Every structure is written in structure tokens, then in C-alpha cells.
Amino acid sequence: FRIVENQKPDLVCLDIMMPMKSGISLYLRLKNDPRFRDIPVIIISGVIRDADFDIEDYTAGENAPDPEGFLEKPVDVTRLIELVDRLTNNRRENSRIR
């Protein structure tokens, strides 16, 4: 979270299983903070299949938007690059409109 605060990245990739805290707890913290809620997040998991992922299953009743992307491990690099490109291009286009 401190890195996001200091660098405000264009996109964040999170693993569900991370050291110290879960990726879901960081995801919720980002999406609940007005400074960072517009940063696209891609969640990556080696334990959940894309078709089975539902953010509500992991947020204990908190009202959280779906992540902008979800990828299974092992990550298909081509799909990751396409997703990052699409999300960062959309973000740039939206910032020009405002």
C-alpha cells in the first residue's frame, strides 16, 4: 500500500496469496480509498479458476467492485500483456476526457 501511496501506479497486479496480508485485503483497501479506487487491479491466483472467481466470496460482505482483470496461474503472458495494455490505454483515454 505504501508503494501505491508513493508512486500511484497506472495498474496493480495482486496475487490472492501474498506474504503478510492477502491480496484481497490490499484490493479492498485500494478500492475503498478515494485516492486509489480508479487504479485498475488485476488479481492473479493459482488456486482459483477464472470461471469460479467471484470477489464477493472473498470480501466478507464488503461492497467491493469486481477487479478489472483476473488471471489464473500459470499466467498466459500474451493475455497478461493484452489486459495490461487495454486497462492502461482505457485509463489514459478516460483521463483525457475529464
Side-chain angles (χ1 to χ4, degrees):
F1 191 81
R2 278 180 270 141
I3 292 170
V4 172
E5 284 182 310
N6 293 330
Q7 297 181 13
K8 191 136 190 223
D10 291 330
L11 180 133
V12 173
C13 290
L14 296 174
D15 197 334
I16 287 179
M17 310 276 277
M18 295 185 352
M20 313 252 282
K21 291 191 173 198
S22 78
I24 297 297
S25 65
L26 179 53
Y27 174 76
L28 290 171
R29 194 166 172 194
L30 292 171
K31 293 304 179 180
N32 287 319
D33 190 315
R35 298 172 297 167
F36 310 120
R37 71 172 46 125
D38 291 334
I39 297 174
V41 175
I42 299 172
I43 294 182
I44 300 169
S45 177
V47 294
I48 301 165
R49 298 184 49 140
D50 187 9
D52 298 332
F53 181 76
D54 184 349
I55 192 71
E56 291 182 16
D57 293 341
Y58 299 90
T59 58
E62 286 199 44
N63 188 15
D66 288 333
E68 288 76 13
F70 181 89
L71 295 171
E72 295 175 47
K73 288 183 184 177
V75 172
D76 177 331
V77 176
T78 301
R79 188 167 171 223
L80 174 62
I81 291 169
E82 289 170 353
L83 186 55
V84 168
D85 186 50
R86 180 174 53 84
L87 292 172
T88 55
N89 281 335
N90 283 347
R91 187 176 162 113
R92 277 187 229 113
E93 288 172 12
N94 288 338
S95 68
R96 278 186 287 223
I97 293 170
R98 292 180 191 165

